[in-house]
Amino acid sequence: RSRASTAHARAHARTHSLHHALRAMKGLGGDGLPARDGDEGETDPDFEQSVDGAQVMAALQQLHGNSGLIGALQQKLDGLVGLRSGFIDELHPQVRARVRALERTQEEHDELHEAYTVELRALEEKYDKLYAPLYAKRSSIVTGAEDVVETEDEELVEEIKKCEEPAPTGIPEFWLIALKNHEEIASMITERDEGALKYLVDVQTSKLSGEDEDGDELCGFKIDFHFSENEYFEDAVLTKTYHMDDEEENVLRYIEASEVNWKSGKNLTVKVMRKKPKPGAKNKKPITKTEPAESFFQFFYPPEVPDEDEQQNMSEEDAEQLQDAMEQDYEIGLMIANNLIADAVNWFTGEAFANDEDEEYDEDEEEYSDEDEDDEDDEDEDDDEDDDGDDDDEDGGKASFKAPPALKGAGGAQAGEQAPECKQQ
């Protein structure tokens, strides 16, 4: 079952239709939204033709006198409405001729870009098929469904022969360690989460295909988290899905996630608070209540759009907070889909984490180097002016750099304690 309610999708559709309706009302100087200064009573013929009247009426009916939502959307749209489309006709004829030449150039560019998009998608599909058996082999080795016989590293072969301790199945805690070595994702993981994430045996991503219930092509991607049987929840697979309005423009429509069927007393996303009754109270049982708790599994509780009644009291600040929450959720989903899954082995070994650290250090060195050179030039000028002959000042501003610290063991738990820092794959 899915936690992303149909209300979320309806709210998205409402937002688009309201957007067009409010723009039309601005152009027509409607009673609900006064026209801009200097434009009262005027209409833009080009824009008027582009507005679907039925869509406007349907959107207006959905407002139901919601003045709060109208005001918030109006304020937002005020900054989006640009020059009227008819201003081109007022330009000098020679300038209009140049604009038309630019338009023909733009058309040629758009045709090329469309061809590029078609080829790019075909190329992505080709390599997705080539990647698939490699991901399947990785999963088999991690879970222990397939074992490997080392033949290239002679020292390791000898070490295996001499080891009397029986080997565990597959690679234990592979995905937990990979997640914790990813700095941004590690910030979401608590100690309580680790017990459940030890049972994570595979993470897969795929693009959405087919059509939705309205017959529109599905755009977006989903992430499947596969778990072995565990004491925390009943589900073998937890799925997070990101629905895009347009894959090329990266417009996020809504997010949905599997409903986690927690086992009794094992819900990691809440904490139970118990309070002892006051002395002399009739009810001697402890008072219990639950509160939300920080957890990686909050990832499966995506932001929800309020219903129409709640939207009436929704301020612009609340709307922006909702948008920020959705964008943050989307960014995490992209990191997992595009970065973690593809490079999971290097995240497990810590190689990917070390490479990121090296890049950050290189960037820092370049910045400091530029600053140091500027400082040295200034110091040289001061030396020339003072004629004090002090050559030591030239090196005085130089900083020394140490290599990034190596990860302790395979787990790299320290990485998960650092603070963390919308595009379609």
Side-chain angles (χ1 to χ4, degrees):
R1 297 187 309 174
S2 171
R3 279 191 49 83
S5 60
T6 50
H8 200 153
R10 287 199 304 269
H12 169 79
R14 242 189 344 262
T15 302
H16 279 280
S17 58
L18 289 174
H19 176 80
H20 291 295
L22 290 176
R23 289 189 63 186
M25 293 170 66
K26 281 177 177 291
L28 297 173
D31 294 334
L33 292 172
R36 286 188 164 201
D37 294 340
D39 290 342
E40 186 173 358
E42 297 181 7
T43 62
D44 183 343
D46 294 336
F47 178 75
E48 204 172 7
Q49 292 175 4
S50 69
V51 175
D52 187 335
Q55 185 183 46
V56 172
M57 293 305 298
L60 292 176
Q61 290 174 0
Q62 291 172 349
L63 287 174
H64 294 303
N66 190 339
S67 58
L69 183 58
I70 290 176
L73 288 174
Q74 177 185 358
Q75 189 170 2
K76 220 38 169 170
L77 290 171
D78 279 341
L80 300 177
V81 179
L83 291 172
R84 292 153 53 95
S85 58
F87 89 100
I88 297 295
D89 296 334
E90 301 174 2
L91 298 176
H92 187 284
Q94 184 60 45
V95 175
R96 293 204 305 272
R98 295 165 185 160
V99 172
R100 289 182 182 177
L102 290 178
E103 289 176 337
R104 289 191 290 269
T105 302
Q106 185 65 48
E107 289 174 359
E108 293 179 12
H109 171 276
D110 293 344
E111 290 175 0
L112 287 174
H113 185 71
E114 184 176 353
Y116 159 78
T117 302
V118 172
E119 292 185 22
L120 178 62
R121 290 179 179 175
L123 191 64
E124 289 175 344
E125 291 177 1
K126 172 186 174 181
Y127 278 91
D128 283 343
K129 293 178 181 178
L130 294 175
Y131 291 144
L134 300 178
Y135 293 149
K137 183 178 179 64
R138 181 180 69 188
S139 177
S140 297
I141 294 174
V142 168
T143 59
E146 175 185 343
D147 209 349
V148 295
V149 178
E150 178 60 48
T151 57
E152 297 181 0
D153 190 334
E154 295 182 358
E155 291 184 4
L156 182 56
V157 172
E158 290 300 319
E159 190 175 347
I160 293 172
K161 291 179 179 179
K162 295 178 181 179
C163 184
E164 299 179 355
E165 182 182 351
T169 301
I171 303 179
E173 303 180 15
F174 174 88
W175 285 101
L176 170 60
I177 294 171
L179 288 167
K180 291 178 64 177
N181 274 345
H182 196 294
E183 189 172 7
E184 288 83 359
I185 301 173
S187 66
M188 302 164 55
I189 300 173
T190 68
E191 290 185 9
R192 296 173 68 223
D193 293 329
E194 294 186 19
L197 290 174
K198 289 178 181 179
Y199 295 95
L200 181 61
V201 294
D202 199 10
V203 185
Q204 302 173 358
T205 185
S206 59
K207 292 185 178 181
L208 302 184
S209 60
E211 298 179 346
D212 60 17
E213 56 186 12
D214 297 325
D216 297 326
E217 182 182 359
L218 288 172
C219 289
F221 63 98
K222 68 174 183 174
I223 308 171
D224 294 321
F225 296 79
H226 296 257
F227 291 85
S228 59
E229 186 175 352
N230 61 80
E231 62 188 272
Y232 293 91
F233 43 80
E234 303 287 351
D235 312 275
V237 181
L238 296 177
T239 301
K240 189 75 175 284
T241 306
Y242 295 86
H243 292 268
M244 315 299 294
D245 185 60
D246 188 315
E247 188 172 357
E248 183 180 353
E249 297 297 332
N250 300 329
V251 179
L252 177 64
R253 291 183 61 196
Y254 61 98
I255 308 169
E256 61 181 348
S258 299
E259 180 178 359
V260 184
N261 296 297
W262 296 100
K263 295 182 179 179
S264 178
K266 294 296 184 177
N267 190 339
L268 298 172
T269 63
V270 298
K271 55 184 177 182
V272 179
M273 312 293 290
R274 291 183 174 87
K275 183 179 179 181
K276 293 182 179 180
K278 294 180 179 180
K282 294 181 179 180
N283 188 358
K284 300 299 183 181
K285 294 183 179 179
I287 301 173
T288 61
K289 66 176 183 178
T290 59
E291 294 181 356
E294 292 185 2
S295 171
F296 172 83
F297 290 91
Q298 293 287 5
F299 183 64
F300 297 100
Y301 296 83
E304 295 183 1
V305 174
D307 58 27
E308 293 181 4
D309 293 336
E310 293 174 333
Q311 285 181 13
Q312 292 182 2
N313 300 320
M314 193 174 184
S315 64
E316 183 179 4
E317 182 179 357
D318 292 336
E320 290 180 353
Q321 288 178 353
L322 176 60
Q323 181 179 352
D324 291 343
M326 293 186 68
E327 289 178 354
Q328 183 179 14
D329 191 305
Y330 176 58
E331 184 178 342
I332 294 169
L334 279 182
M335 279 192 293
I336 295 174
N338 293 349
N339 187 266
L340 177 76
I341 293 177
D343 210 18
V345 175
N346 288 332
W347 283 113
F348 172 80
T349 61
E351 189 69 25
F353 181 85
N355 289 340
D356 281 357
E357 287 280 300
D358 290 341
E359 291 176 3
E360 290 177 5
Y361 271 77
D362 290 341
E363 292 174 0
D364 290 343
E365 286 182 1
E366 290 177 2
E367 292 175 2
Y368 277 100
S369 177
D370 292 340
E371 294 175 1
D372 292 342
E373 290 174 0
D374 293 339
D375 291 343
E376 289 174 13
D377 292 339
D378 294 341
E379 289 166 1
D380 289 342
E381 292 176 2
D382 293 340
D383 291 343
D384 292 340
E385 293 175 0
D386 298 339
D387 195 24
D388 56 8
D390 187 1
D391 296 336
D392 294 337
D393 287 345
E394 293 183 6
D395 296 331
K398 291 185 178 179
S400 60
F401 296 91
K402 298 180 180 179
L407 295 176
K408 296 183 179 180
Q414 290 77 8
E417 298 173 1
Q418 300 182 21
E421 25 191 62
C422 189
K423 304 198 179 214
Q424 168 68 352
Q425 61 178 358

